[in-house]
């Protein structure tokens, strides 16, 4: 080949490489544009979702600013009805500024999503891995549902993933890591378990003085906070957490109840770890605990096992009603997805990303444990997304074992993200209509009570969110979150019960779902000597009504007439399918006002 021919060939090769690079850049831009459009569409749809339970937490900031008391009611013994101290404290801000708490927490949710986006984009990860990290969140309907519900779910999940990612990437936590650990511990009560596990594992990897000192500061600070709240509220566990996790049962009984389900997941993993550690030590003569790189590679498995233990040790026997989109296991297992993707993964054969077989397999086992936990959580209620995601996980693991496929961890992570990130279409549609139903029913009843010129007295409610929040009257929570005292006739008389609002499947006056503390309330209002009479107050959805019983003192105010008007309006608005309700209110965000 002559010099001119060689030069021509080189120029042609360079032009082809340039063309290929341009095409790849164009494809990446297209992929990001499509992902952005999907994220905007999902954000627009789920921005309208706010669950009733979020108003329970927000009432604390409102009560503190307006009445100077840190309590669900402005009087009476302190009750800790919230599950997130962090979000309860944040609720002070909108109350102090005089703005809508609902709007404030929507803005906060957007800020959390933007923070996640910025963190991923600034990370030193391969381009493809960054895209996957963004896609597992921004292309997931469940992510946006949890983001905008008004609860701490996404904040807790992202903080947990961030905390364990610091240990996974660096070993030692450092100042930023210990701040994140403190935030995880204050975001939810079980967060202290995750924070303690992350700190403990970090100490095994990095035994430096600064790491030990940071661990001491965070755990001591949390212990002092817990002692202070225990002294103030008079209960070791938050009332909301005790109620939601069946905390009234002895711990030993609950452990026995969950062993048949948790055992098939955790026992083989724990036995495998013990046997593996023992075999390694005998073969090499070196304790695995002294191999910090091995301990660091095992962080995803540590998180997966801890999350599964929390799922079946705390959540399995839970009395939580607001488990929308399986938020309980989502907030524990989505961090596993984030964690395995937080260190560079070799996506192609020519990639320079460092990745050992040990690290690859601990990540794959962690994903397998998390997937198995979901499959065993509710075997009879598996969705198409769960089945599809589980198949992807299995294929990725088989491919890694048989063909040693590069990037198997990424595909398995996508599978787990699919398992937890796509819910039931019917449930998602009902949640899009939920806030409009809530506004026409519970909120309308609350506004009628708030505007009525009534004498001193209490209202008893079963749905203790927006109704007592906006009614701004002393409330009795029949569900037991906001009211920890035993509810009986003497208690109701002492609190001067004047209005009871209870759910029912019928709008027949006097009908209600009689369960738990609703029974003594119904007995009290049915007693002729108390002179209550009943009528329907609102329709939340077909076969879901709010019926009310009003006492003699509040009857004089004209409140009954306003409740009857609310019932007629709610029937007109809510007595129709979810799809029709959403279509008619697609651009309606009026509920975000004060």
């Amino acid at each position: 080949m002559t010099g001119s021919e060689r030069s021509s060939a080189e120029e042609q090769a360079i032009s082809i490489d340039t063309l290929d690079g341009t095409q790849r850049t164009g494809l990446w831009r297209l992929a990001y544009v499509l992902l952005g459009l999907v994220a905007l569409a999902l954000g627009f749809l789920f921005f309208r979702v706010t669950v009733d339970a979020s108003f329970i937490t927000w009432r604390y900031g409102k009560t503190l600013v307006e009445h100077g008391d840190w309590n669900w009611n402005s009087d009476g013994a302190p009750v800790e009805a919230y599950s997130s101290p962090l979000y309860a404290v944040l609720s002070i801000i909108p109350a102090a500024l005089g703005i809508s708490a609902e709007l404030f927490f929507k803005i906060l949710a957007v800020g959390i999503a933007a923070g996640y986006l910025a963190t991923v984009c600034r990370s030193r990860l391969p381009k493809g891995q960054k895209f996957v990290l963004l896609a597992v969140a921004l292309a997931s309907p469940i992510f946006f549902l949890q983001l905008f519900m008004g609860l701490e779910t996404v904040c807790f999940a992202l903080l947990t993933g961030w905390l364990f990612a610091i240990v996974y990437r660096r070993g030692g936590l450092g100042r930023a890591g210990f701040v994140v650990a403190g935030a995880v511990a204050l975001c939810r009560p079980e967060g202290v378990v995750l924070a303690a596990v992350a700190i403990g594992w970090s100490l095994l990897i990095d035994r430096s003085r600064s790491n030990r000192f940071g661990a001491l500061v965070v755990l001591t600070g949390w212990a002092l906070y817990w002692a202070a709240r225990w002294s103030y509220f008079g209960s070791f566990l938050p009332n909301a957490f005790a109620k939601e996790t069946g905390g009234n049962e002895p711990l030993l009984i609950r452990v026995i109840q969950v062993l048949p389900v948790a055992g098939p997941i955790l026992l083989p993993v724990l036995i495998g770890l013990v046997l593996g550690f023992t075999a390694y030590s005998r073969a090499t003569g070196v304790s695995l605990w002294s191999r910090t790189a091995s301990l660091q590679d095992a962080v995803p498995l540590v998180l997966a096992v801890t999350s599964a233990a929390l799922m079946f040790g705390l959540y399995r026997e839970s009395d939580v009603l607001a488990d929308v989109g399986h938020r309980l296991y989502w907030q524990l297992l989505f961090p596993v997805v984030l964690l395995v993707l937080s260190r560079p993964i070799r996506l192609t054969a020519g990639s320079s990303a460092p990745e050992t077989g040990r690290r690859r397999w601990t990540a794959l086992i962690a994903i397998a444990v998390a997937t198995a936990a979901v499959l065993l959580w509710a075997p009879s209620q598996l969705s198409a997304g769960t089945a599809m995601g589980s198949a992807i996980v299995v294929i990725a693991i088989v491919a890694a074992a048989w063909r040693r496929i590069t990037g198997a961890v990424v595909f398995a992570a996508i599978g787990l993200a699919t398992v937890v990130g796509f819910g039931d279409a019917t449930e998602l549609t009902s949640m899009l209509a939920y806030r409009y139903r809530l506004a026409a029913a519970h909120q309308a009843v609350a506004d009628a009570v708030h505007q009525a010129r009534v004498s001193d007295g209490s209202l008893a409610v079963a749905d203790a969110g927006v109704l007592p929040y906006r009614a701004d009257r002393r409330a009795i929570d029949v569900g037991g979150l906001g009211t920890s005292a035993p509810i009986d006739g003497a208690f109701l008389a002492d609190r001067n019960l004047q209005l009871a609002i209870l759910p029912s499947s019928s709008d027949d006056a006097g009908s209600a779902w009689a369960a738990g503390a609703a029974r003594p309330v119904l007995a009290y209002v049915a007693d002729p000597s108390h002179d209550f009479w009943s009528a329907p107050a609102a329709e939340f959805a077909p076969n879901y009504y709010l019926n009310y019983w009003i006492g003699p003192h509040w009857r004089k105010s004209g409140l009954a007439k306003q409740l009857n008007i609310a019932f007629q309006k709610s029937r007109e608005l809510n007595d129709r399918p979810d799809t029709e309700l959403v279509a008619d209110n697609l651009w309606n965000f009026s509920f975000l006002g004060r």
Side-chain angles (χ1 to χ4, degrees):
M1 181 181 292
T2 65
S4 60
E5 290 174 337
R6 185 181 299 111
S7 177
S8 176
E10 290 176 353
E11 289 177 359
Q12 184 177 6
I14 292 173
S15 64
I16 291 173
D17 289 342
T18 303
L19 180 60
D20 289 343
T22 303
Q23 289 176 338
R24 285 195 295 269
T25 301
L27 288 175
W28 278 118
R29 287 177 178 173
L30 177 61
Y32 275 103
V33 168
L34 291 176
L35 178 60
L37 292 175
V38 170
L40 287 174
L42 291 174
F44 171 74
L45 286 174
F46 289 101
F47 191 81
R48 71 197 69 234
V49 178
T50 306
V51 294
D52 191 51
S54 60
F55 290 91
I56 296 175
T57 300
W58 302 344
R59 183 168 159 124
Y60 280 81
K62 185 172 184 284
T63 303
L64 179 67
V65 170
E66 295 180 359
H67 303 282
D69 292 313
W70 187 251
N71 201 1
W72 192 64
N73 280 311
S74 60
D75 60 355
V79 179
E80 191 176 13
Y82 52 82
S83 58
S84 176
L86 182 61
Y87 268 46
V89 170
L90 287 174
S91 71
I92 299 172
I93 298 175
L97 296 177
I99 63 174
S100 164
E102 192 169 3
L103 177 60
F104 171 81
F105 280 95
K106 297 293 184 189
I107 296 172
L108 177 64
V110 173
I112 290 173
Y116 175 74
L117 177 66
T119 301
V120 173
C121 290
R122 293 175 60 187
S123 64
R124 297 177 180 177
L125 294 171
K127 185 183 294 185
Q129 198 170 333
K130 285 184 181 181
F131 181 80
V132 173
L133 264 172
L134 293 175
V136 294
L138 302 183
S140 167
I142 295 297
F143 176 83
F144 282 97
L145 172 65
Q146 309 294 356
L147 180 66
F148 289 119
M149 284 200 306
L151 300 176
E152 70 282 353
T153 311
V154 167
C155 181
F156 180 65
L158 294 183
L159 285 173
T160 300
W162 189 6
L163 173 62
F164 279 86
I166 293 173
V167 182
Y168 191 39
R169 290 172 64 95
R170 301 196 313 225
L173 281 171
R175 292 182 180 179
F178 284 115
V179 170
V180 176
V184 170
L186 291 175
C187 202
R188 281 189 62 85
E190 66 270 36
V192 70
V193 176
L194 292 163
V197 169
I199 291 172
W201 204 260
S202 174
L203 290 174
L204 289 175
I205 300 170
D206 178 5
R207 300 175 179 87
S208 66
R209 182 178 179 180
S210 61
N211 212 36
R212 295 199 305 270
F213 179 74
L216 179 64
V217 169
V218 171
L219 295 178
T220 301
W222 179 86
L224 292 174
Y225 156 74
W226 201 260
R229 58 145 300 280
W230 187 3
S231 174
Y232 183 77
F233 291 108
S235 173
F236 179 73
L237 287 176
N239 195 45
F241 193 72
K243 292 288 182 182
E244 291 180 352
T245 58
N248 294 329
E249 290 184 335
L251 179 61
L252 180 60
I253 299 299
R254 291 166 58 205
V255 170
I256 293 173
Q257 288 173 340
V258 302
L259 275 179
V261 179
I265 299 177
L266 301 180
L267 198 57
V269 174
L270 294 176
I271 291 175
L273 288 174
V274 172
L275 293 177
F277 288 175
T278 304
Y280 181 88
S281 298
R282 288 182 177 178
T284 62
V286 179
S287 171
L288 194 60
W289 299 111
S290 65
R291 303 294 297 269
T292 57
S294 300
L295 295 174
Q296 200 167 334
D297 289 340
V299 171
L301 186 55
V302 171
L303 175 58
V305 171
T306 304
S307 296
L310 287 172
M311 279 176 61
F312 293 99
L314 285 177
Y315 294 165
R316 183 66 182 182
E317 304 301 321
S318 172
D319 296 326
V320 173
L321 298 178
D323 189 21
V324 180
H326 292 298
R327 71 178 179 93
L328 292 179
Y329 71 59
W330 185 89
Q331 67 188 5
L332 293 177
L333 299 182
F334 184 67
V336 177
V337 177
L338 304 180
L339 181 59
V340 297
L341 294 172
S342 65
R343 283 170 74 176
I345 297 173
R346 190 173 298 159
L347 300 178
T348 61
S351 173
S352 61
E355 183 185 18
T356 63
R358 178 188 62 224
R359 193 179 112 195
R360 182 186 308 117
W361 276 105
T362 52
L364 288 172
I365 294 171
I367 292 171
V369 169
T371 304
V374 175
L375 294 176
L376 291 175
W377 177 262
S380 61
Q381 302 176 12
L382 299 181
S383 65
T386 302
M388 184 182 301
S390 301
I392 295 173
V393 171
V394 171
I395 292 171
I397 293 175
V398 171
W402 185 33
R403 293 284 188 178
R404 297 184 180 179
I405 299 297
T406 304
V409 173
V410 174
F411 289 109
I414 293 172
L416 178 57
T418 304
V419 168
V420 300
F422 292 85
D424 179 72
T426 302
E427 181 188 35
L428 293 175
T429 304
S430 70
M431 290 310 300
L432 293 177
Y434 179 91
R435 188 60 182 89
Y436 302 109
R437 295 190 183 280
L438 198 68
H442 299 69
Q443 185 170 320
V445 171
D447 291 344
V449 174
H450 179 70
Q451 294 166 11
R453 295 180 179 179
V454 295
S455 59
D456 181 55
S458 299
L459 69 151
V461 294
D463 297 334
V466 69
L467 206 162
Y469 177 86
R470 291 183 67 98
D472 199 25
R473 296 286 188 273
R474 185 194 308 125
I476 300 168
D477 180 7
V478 175
L481 293 179
T483 302
S484 58
I487 298 177
D488 54 22
F491 175 81
L492 297 173
D494 179 69
R495 303 299 282 176
N496 189 19
L497 179 66
Q498 287 296 317
L499 182 68
I501 303 172
L502 301 175
S504 173
S505 57
S506 167
D507 61 353
D508 293 338
S511 67
W513 292 326
R519 294 192 185 98
V521 173
L522 285 171
Y524 184 87
V525 297
D527 187 337
S529 65
H530 295 144
D531 193 22
F532 280 77
W533 60 264
S534 176
E539 178 180 348
F540 176 75
N543 301 318
Y544 193 124
Y545 297 89
L546 299 179
N547 293 334
Y548 74 90
W549 290 256
I550 190 168
H553 298 299
W554 283 19
R555 239 185 355 253
K556 300 174 183 177
S557 66
L559 174 59
K561 181 179 179 181
Q562 296 304 314
L563 292 176
N564 291 336
I565 294 174
F567 173 68
Q568 297 301 327
K569 289 183 177 179
S570 66
R571 166 162 281 185
E572 179 183 345
L573 294 170
N574 284 348
D575 194 20
R576 48 185 174 155
D578 292 325
T579 50
E580 182 180 334
L581 194 59
V582 174
D584 287 349
N585 290 277
L586 195 61
W587 300 95
N588 178 13
F589 296 94
S590 58
F591 52 82
L592 293 174
R594 180 66 177 173

